[in-house]
Amino acid sequence: MAADESLTAVSDSLTNGGDSLTAGDDNLTAGGDSLTAGLSNLSLSPAPPLSLPPCPKTYISITYQDPAPNPTTSPLPLSPLPSSSGPPLPAQLLHCQLLTSTTAVKLYYEVLLSCPSFTHQAGDTVSIICPNTEEEIIQLCSRLKLEEVWTKECNLAISTDTKKAKAKLPAWLPTTTSLEMLFKHHLDIRAVPKKPLVRSLLEHTSGEEDKRNLAMLCSKEGGQEYMAKVRDSQLTLLELLAMVPSCLPPVTVLLEQLPRLIPRPYSLSSSPLATPNTISWVFTLVTDPRPGLATTWLSKLQAMSEVLVQPRTGHHFRPPQVDQSYVMVGAGSGLGPFMGFLEERRARRRSGEEISGDCWLFFGCRSKDKDFLYREELEDMVKEGVLSKLSVCFSREDEGPKYVQDSIRENKEELVMWLVDQAASFYVCGDARGMARGVQEEVEKLVEQVKGWEEGEGVKYV
């Protein structure tokens, strides 16, 4: 009997425990209802709005008509080009010759043109007028869905309903031409898109994600993102449009916002005293971040092709007088203008002119067998007495100095004697922010060391 009572007590206890659990479930359910009610009252804060610049006011109108424009329409610029000292001149390509081994890290070419009407001196520069690539303008035509009007005659004018004050057409755009001609010869489609263009593209974009991307790039808050994704990576218009497939701007936006296609400048490697009626220069075939426009075009030209050259202002890089000693420092294609100096010096000597000043060339390249430019010519000039001293360094060879700064350091006593005691002129041709700056700092330091000058005196002297 006692056992039955105990069992009954246990059963009652379990029942009470179950009631407690049920009560707990009820409480949890009530708590869950409260939590659900609380969550339903919560809302995510929207992202703060971006500070967008005002959208540039449109101002160009365009009309099309048949027939297609005359295929002989001139691609020549309508207004003077920057730094030009005269009108463009026609020249004929005699050769575009590879100067290095085909396996060299960088490929260097020599261009030789026949251009009797071009007046120049050793050390001058010239600009080359080259078109955008056929491949890229066809891609742009397709991307903007302009196939039906691409080769039609088009007329540009100021839009009658523009809100842009004092609007006028860019001086470099012909008013009657075709879109094909405009984008091939007059507009720089490779230029890094500036924020006003990005802001204009935003107005013609339908996809929300694409809108957000363009808005960020042109906003005040997206400054760092613009620098990283656009400026530093040298993004092109085609690459930007590929990032935002729902963007389809009218062609007038690009006519208004794209900059002018500017000729590419090169330092001449020729002297009119040595090779009258011809001009030449050395160039590096650009491959990064994409094939260079002018260098790729030049490297593919066939002999006797016509090239438009643009005389340039600013004639400050000249060889000194024949009684003045000078030092030249260059690497890679930086040797080009110094070949012009030496060609002129040799021509003067051969004509019987007395040359009393000495000259010394420091040249840097990677390999003795792959990219030692003009090796035979330079060695012959040393034998002939045209070049007083030649110091060459190879960055990929096991022995000897690696860079021109190393070569300068190895010859510091003699170099300082030239620069200070003989008052020799000093020329550097190369990357202004890289090699050229490094050479200057090295020479400033060596002058102080050799002459025992106080720190800072070398900077003042050099």
Side-chain angles (χ1 to χ4, degrees):
M1 193 63 189
D4 289 342
E5 290 174 353
S6 298
L7 286 172
T8 302
V10 170
S11 177
D12 291 342
S13 176
L14 285 172
T15 302
N16 292 336
D19 292 341
S20 299
L21 287 173
T22 302
D25 287 342
D26 292 341
N27 289 335
L28 284 174
T29 302
D33 292 341
S34 300
L35 182 60
T36 302
L39 287 174
S40 66
N41 292 327
L42 289 177
S43 61
L44 295 176
S45 299
L50 297 173
S51 304
L52 298 180
C55 186
K57 295 180 176 65
T58 61
Y59 64 94
I60 291 181
S61 68
I62 186 168
T63 55
Y64 303 96
Q65 62 184 30
D66 290 321
N70 189 327
T72 60
T73 301
S74 173
L76 286 173
L78 302 180
S79 62
L81 292 159
S83 302
S84 65
S85 62
L89 301 171
Q92 196 170 56
L93 179 72
L94 299 179
H95 73 231
C96 184
Q97 177 180 322
L98 181 64
L99 298 175
T100 62
S101 162
T102 56
T103 59
V105 175
K106 289 186 177 182
L107 301 182
Y108 298 103
Y109 289 78
E110 177 192 75
V111 171
L112 179 64
L113 298 178
S114 172
C115 192
S117 55
F118 188 86
T119 303
H120 74 288
Q121 296 182 43
D124 279 356
T125 61
V126 65
S127 289
I128 299 307
I129 300 174
C130 64
N132 287 310
T133 69
E134 196 70 26
E135 178 186 3
E136 288 176 342
I137 64 171
I138 289 175
Q139 287 178 14
L140 188 61
C141 171
S142 176
R143 176 62 179 80
L144 299 177
K145 303 185 186 306
L146 296 169
E147 292 91 344
E148 291 186 4
V149 295
W150 189 247
T151 58
K152 285 187 176 182
E153 182 175 293
C154 66
N155 295 286
L156 306 184
I158 298 299
S159 176
T160 56
D161 59 355
T162 183
K163 295 180 174 57
K164 181 179 175 67
K166 299 180 180 179
K168 60 180 180 179
L169 293 174
W172 59 86
L173 295 184
T175 55
T176 301
T177 181
S178 69
L179 292 179
E180 182 182 34
M181 292 291 288
L182 285 170
F183 283 99
K184 187 171 185 177
H185 296 290
H186 299 280
L187 294 166
D188 190 352
I189 63 175
R190 286 191 175 192
V192 174
K194 294 186 177 181
K195 286 193 175 185
L197 173 55
V198 179
R199 178 66 181 86
S200 297
L201 295 179
L202 176 59
E203 298 299 306
H204 305 282
T205 303
S206 57
E208 291 302 318
E209 184 177 354
D210 292 346
K211 285 182 178 180
R212 284 194 297 271
N213 289 337
L214 290 175
M216 177 58 75
L217 290 177
C218 67
S219 69
K220 180 179 180 182
E221 293 78 6
Q224 290 185 346
E225 188 166 341
Y226 172 81
M227 292 298 293
K229 291 184 176 180
V230 181
R231 284 287 298 276
D232 294 345
S233 62
Q234 299 181 49
L235 200 72
T236 66
L237 172 64
L238 279 168
E239 291 166 339
L240 177 61
L241 290 173
M243 292 168 52
V244 285
S246 69
C247 177
L248 188 62
V251 70
T252 50
V253 166
L254 302 186
L255 300 182
E256 292 164 355
Q257 296 297 330
L258 286 178
R260 183 180 197 173
L261 182 59
I262 300 296
R264 274 47 175 178
Y266 295 95
S267 297
L268 293 176
S269 60
S270 55
S271 162
L273 296 183
T275 54
N277 301 326
T278 65
I279 57 175
S280 64
W281 66 88
V282 178
F283 71 84
T284 310
L285 184 65
V286 176
T287 58
D288 185 57
R290 63 190 57 84
L293 181 63
T295 62
T296 303
W297 180 71
L298 285 168
S299 69
K300 294 179 178 180
L301 287 179
Q302 300 297 313
M304 311 313 288
S305 297
E306 184 175 286
V307 178
L308 284 174
V309 298
Q310 176 69 64
R312 286 173 57 87
T313 58
H315 308 302
H316 306 298
F317 197 76
R318 293 268 196 268
Q321 298 298 316
V322 294
D323 59 348
Q324 171 74 40
S325 296
Y326 60 102
V327 178
M328 302 168 286
V329 182
S333 59
L335 176 61
F338 295 138
M339 291 303 297
F341 283 25
L342 294 171
E343 291 286 358
E344 178 153 312
R345 184 178 173 90
R346 179 164 62 182
R348 289 181 181 277
R349 284 175 60 92
R350 288 179 175 178
S351 69
E353 192 170 347
E354 183 179 352
I355 308 293
S356 56
D358 294 321
C359 70
W360 185 354
L361 172 65
F362 289 89
F363 175 57
C365 56
R366 288 178 172 80
S367 171
K368 187 179 301 182
D369 299 324
K370 293 185 177 182
D371 59 359
F372 186 171
L373 308 183
Y374 297 109
R375 178 177 181 173
E376 292 183 4
E377 292 91 331
L378 290 172
E379 291 174 347
D380 287 345
M381 287 180 178
V382 172
K383 294 175 184 177
E384 194 176 336
V386 174
L387 183 56
S388 310
K389 190 173 178 67
L390 174 63
S391 300
V392 186
C393 53
F394 308 97
S395 62
R396 302 293 172 88
E397 301 283 350
D398 293 332
E399 299 179 355
K402 301 292 185 184
Y403 302 102
V404 287
Q405 293 94 320
D406 301 326
S407 189
I408 286 171
R409 200 177 301 114
E410 281 192 357
N411 293 274
K412 62 181 181 181
E413 299 285 347
E414 186 177 1
L415 177 63
V416 171
M417 181 186 71
W418 275 54
L419 296 179
V420 179
D421 300 337
Q422 298 182 21
S425 299
F426 191 76
Y427 298 84
V428 182
C429 190
D431 177 18
R433 292 176 294 180
M435 184 274 283
R437 182 59 189 164
V439 167
Q440 181 178 342
E441 292 174 350
E442 187 66 33
V443 172
E444 291 168 355
K445 182 172 63 177
L446 294 179
V447 168
E448 292 173 354
Q449 289 179 1
V450 173
K451 288 299 182 181
W453 293 352
E454 294 182 2
E455 184 176 350
E457 290 298 310
V459 175
K460 296 178 182 177
Y461 186 81
V462 175

